[in-house]
Amino acid sequence: MRLVVVGDTLLDRDVHGAVNRIAPDAPAPVLEEERVSERPGGAGLAALLAARRGIEVALVTALAPDAAGARLSELLTAAGIRVYALPLPGGTPEKIRLRAAGQVLLRLDRGGPAQPPGDAPAAALDVLRDAGAILVSDYGRGVARHPALRAAVEESKAPVVWDPHPNGPPPVPNCRLVTPNEAEARRLSGDAGNGSGLATAQRAGHALRQRWQAAAVVVTRGAAGAVLCQGGPTPLVVPVPMASSGDTCGAGDAFAVAAAVALAEGALVSEAVGEAVAAASGYVAGDHETSGKAAHEGRIGAAEAGRLAAEVRTRGGTVVATGGCFDLLHTGHLATLRAARALGDCLIVCLNSDTSVRGLKGGNRPLTGQEDRGRLLAALDCVDAVVVFDEPTPEPVLAWLRPDVWVKGGDYDTLPETEIVQRWGGQTVIVPYLDGRSTTKTIAEARRR
């Protein structure tokens, strides 16, 4: 599958340094440069994020014959992206950010006013006709207005995702999905924003869908998730899997890329939006190579569990662990997990794999596979990480995880893991288990019915 990204590309340059003094000749901080990082921005960033997913990516854009254009070509080609460049009068746009201590002190823009790009080469039009999916990443500088490109996008049989810009043209008719953010939706629809943000997003989304003749419009709302407006009057609201206070620059591109890839792979629009919300959330949280999986899935695995345990110990905290099959998650499990989490600064769940469960409980178990069991556990606010093990007992996991406290729920007199936990000075404890809550009893009752 080939994803073709269409839009304006710019060069993002971050100058990182330290500010230790004020200039003697002006009331301005002096930034002492330490390092410079460069990356494609705009549609180039969208193409880069798509290429990191391991798919074939082509970028139809406009570049000027200058140093910034040459640098962009170098960066994009090195990432495996095939670049189809229209000639761009003037200069390639650049955004230069001066940063210190994680903050932007100043942004310098270069490239001058936007100018219409030149003629589209035949190869650029051909690649659009053969696309598996098309993402128009409009940054308002003219590529999305190009008549020949618009005609080729409109004629394509591939699903089209259009990420609009207030200074850009309207999407071509019959886009599968258009992805304005809340501010863009208000501005483009002319909605004054009366009422709640959700109500505004719903009104604006429906109005824009009808105006643009799009199959669906999704209004992205940052930490508030996304509002998907399709044919019916009631929107679908997709929440973020995990809130984050990270840098949101580029999250919209991550969202649009994930949606386009999902649609190309046959997902429903609602499914594509769900994957896109997860991808954008992961990007904001710092996972800039996110594959679109839910952010809580990043909390599953030995690497994550080990990293978390090391971080907690470094700051003098207490690492708590518990284990089990958790085949059908119920309130008894939840009570145990919450009680365990209250005993320390993080809770790591050691989860029996499908192989381990079959060895313990027979060939008809588990009813729920380990991937889904892990996701459910990781989604709980009282669980900080999940590690899956294949052995009959969690002792091999405990040997390298070395929790300070090992917790089980029930009415045990002693725990078999006590001896190994005591080797490193750890403690084993038992927490109350809710009567009448049992996976085995639940399954037996369901079979009797």
Side-chain angles (χ1 to χ4, degrees), residues 171-390:
V172 300
N174 300 314
C175 286
R176 187 76 61 85
L177 183 66
V178 186
T179 65
N181 63 36
E182 189 171 6
E184 291 167 343
R186 288 178 56 182
R187 180 172 171 182
L188 290 166
S189 67
D191 195 301
N194 297 323
S196 68
L198 176 59
T200 300
Q202 178 181 359
R203 289 195 306 269
H206 281 303
L208 292 172
R209 188 187 69 81
Q210 294 174 359
R211 181 188 305 173
W212 291 335
Q213 302 175 53
V217 169
V218 59
V219 180
T220 59
R221 305 185 61 221
V227 180
L228 175 61
C229 301
Q230 301 188 80
T234 305
L236 174 69
V237 178
V238 182
V240 298
M242 184 189 310
S244 174
S245 58
D247 187 357
T248 60
C249 182
D253 297 297
F255 183 98
V257 165
V261 171
L263 290 173
E265 294 175 345
L268 300 174
V269 172
S270 56
E271 295 170 333
V273 169
E275 293 190 28
V277 169
S281 299
Y283 185 91
V284 173
D287 180 11
H288 289 189
E289 297 188 19
T290 179
S291 66
K293 294 182 180 180
H296 63 251
E297 290 187 25
R299 298 157 60 185
I300 302 173
E304 172 63 14
R307 181 198 62 77
L308 175 64
E311 287 183 357
V312 171
R313 289 194 183 96
T314 298
R315 59 176 186 261
T318 299
V319 177
V320 182
T322 189
C325 301
F326 299 97
D327 193 1
L328 293 179
L329 199 61
H330 52 68
T331 54
H333 293 140
L334 186 60
T336 298
L337 293 169
R338 285 178 171 168
R341 181 62 177 83
L343 297 175
D345 299 285
C346 74
L347 175 62
I348 299 171
V349 176
C350 301
L351 179 67
N352 294 76
S353 70
D354 292 349
T355 300
S356 178
V357 174
R358 281 192 290 270
L360 294 171
K361 298 183 179 293
N364 62 343
R365 298 281 298 275
L367 299 183
T368 306
Q370 65 189 48
E371 183 175 348
D372 286 348
R373 287 185 285 129
R375 287 180 180 179
L376 287 169
L377 288 166
L380 298 175
D381 57 5
C382 54
V383 174
D384 298 287
V386 177
V387 57
V388 181
F389 64 92
D390 282 322

Side-chain angles (χ1 to χ4, degrees), residues 38-59:
E38 295 176 321
R39 66 185 183 279
L45 175 58
L48 185 64
L49 294 175
R52 287 175 176 172
R53 290 168 164 263
I55 63 175
E56 183 180 354
V57 181
L59 173 63

Side-chain angles (χ1 to χ4, degrees), residues 3 64 116 145 161 174 204 223 251 265 279 290 344 382 417 419 447:
L3 174 67
R145 290 187 182 277
V161 175
N174 300 314
E265 294 175 345
T290 179
C382 54
E417 299 84 11
E419 188 274 331
R447 286 174 176 165

